[in-house]
Amino acid sequence: MTSTRKSENCDEEESLHEKPPNDRIHNVIHSDDLLRMGRYSILLCIFVEVAMLSQLSNTMLMVYAGAAPIIKSCGNMTFSSNEEACSNYNYCKQQDDITFERQFYGITEQFKLLCEDAKLEKMGTSIQMIGVMLGCLVFGQIGDLYGRKKPMMFCLCMCFVFGIWSALSSDFKKFTIFRTILCFFNGGQSTISVVYMIENIPKRSRGYISTLISYSPNVILLGILAFFFQQWDRLVLAISFLTVPAIVILAFLHESPRWLMQKGKVSHAKKVFISIEKFDGVPVSKSLNEVELEIFLENEHNKQVEDANTKVGKQHSFWHLFKTREIMTGTFVIAFTFFATTLINYSIMFNLGAVAGSIYMNSILIGLLRYSISLFSGFLDYKFEKFDRKMCHGICSLLTISIIIAIIGFCLTDTTSTFSSLIRVGVLLSCAMTSQAIIVASIASNELMPTAIRSISYSTAQLFSRFGIVVAPHVFHLNLYTGNDFPVLPYGILLIIGLADFLFFRFLIPETKNKPLEDFIVNRRKTILDEEEKEDEV
């Protein structure tokens, strides 16, 4: 009698612990379909937005900190132009009473990196971007091996620490060292955070969320920050403290369930999905049944392992980017897109001081243009199936190419001063277009690559992107190295690179819109042949 009561109590406890099955899991084809835009996704998007503000601010700091002032006088000499001042710069360097006309008090003024010494500032910027490149490489591998959350937390903390130290730098050498170390961790978090976001939002929302949560609005915020602080060390401190909210929010987020499944941690992935539903406030009657969910995830995981013919938990490296023709081609095309669009974007951004108008207003206008175009693209992506990744990238590329051709025409006809306002609009619009092309390439990269190498592949694209930023400060200052001033040359270089990017992206990679994410590397050609053999056997 007692044993019967015990068994009845156990049955009651089990029935309370396990929710009754519902039809929701039966309507799901892929685990990506379990994701929904709820409270958790919104919190995750807020985290990525705050992290991106930190990332962009650290990357674009030298747009303001490296802005060169105009020398008006020094000692007993007064200058009518900056060219005249630079011809007497050796004399001015010895003087303590140099008078400047400036928009922002940067390191160029504090450490006297002016005229021919501007090469040092450009070289320092390039060295910082090399730090970003190395961070992309290292943390791309770490993100695929050890997860998304912990490496991001470490990178954010290091960005905060070295940001404070760089603000206290007493000379240009220390400033460059601290900023390069900071940029190493900045490259790490920028690589992983985008992958983390793509893996944790519904596939139908990837396009518009990636345009909504992007660098574009942060260009505006950075311009406002620079306007209010107007000194490089104060701006660096403000940027450093921007990482604190991101650190706090990340502490409440989960590891990516997509990564957990790829590593064979299906039970842990199930707990994450259940926790997300609780956080979203899903009613018990509509929430997922834990037993059915685990069976579903196990079946999907086993099928992907079987299709890929791989081992669970297998370690992947950069060599796996060459394992199949599709992955190798996709990686290199997207990497080139990142290089080309970043080179065009940042070449113009680092040269904003030479463009008519206020450096703050130009930056804010670029941000407004970028964000307006991003939101419009996101709307088109969500509403129209035919507005896919290739179409969006193609429109942005062709408009940028047209603007560059027009500017070359103004340079060749010596009418740049006459059409300075028109050139300004074209320059700002080209920055907005290249920014949107980068967003599209980011989405395509993460949709095309399997989870096992998603961070590695994206870090390779980021590596080429940072290489573009390394080269960018020098594009419009080639005369410092060649001794010849040829205004058309920089735009000619950007034109050739822009054309190549358009053609490669258009014809060499498949469309990825609304495709489910894969976990393992699958040789599609081999899979097709195997299916044909099975059909022949039947």
Side-chain angles (χ1 to χ4, degrees), residues 61-62 64-69 71 89 92-96 98 100 102 104-122 124-125 128 165-179 231-234 236:
L61 173 70
M62 297 306 291
Y64 298 98
I71 302 173
Y89 184 56
C92 288
K93 279 198 291 187
Q94 311 302 322
Q95 308 301 313
D96 294 325
I98 305 177
F100 297 101
R102 73 171 81 94
F104 185 89
Y105 181 78
I107 61 166
T108 51
E109 183 175 339
Q110 178 162 339
F111 302 132
K112 294 186 177 179
L113 304 173
L114 304 166
C115 298
E116 65 263 21
D117 290 342
K119 287 189 290 186
L120 295 174
E121 182 270 319
K122 302 302 176 188
T125 302
Q128 291 178 42
W165 284 358
S166 66
L168 303 176
S169 302
S170 57
D171 57 59
F172 180 64
K173 183 178 178 181
K174 289 179 182 177
F175 173 82
T176 302
I177 291 171
F178 288 137
R179 294 300 303 179
Q231 290 188 21
W232 72 268
D233 50 352
R234 294 179 182 179
V236 169

Side-chain angles (χ1 to χ4, degrees), residues 141-161:
Q141 181 75 72
I142 290 174
D144 279 336
L145 290 178
Y146 302 107
R148 319 304 193 200
K149 182 178 176 178
K150 291 179 181 178
M152 277 194 297
M153 181 67 79
F154 180 68
C155 288
L156 285 165
C157 292
M158 291 299 100
C159 284
F160 175 75
V161 171

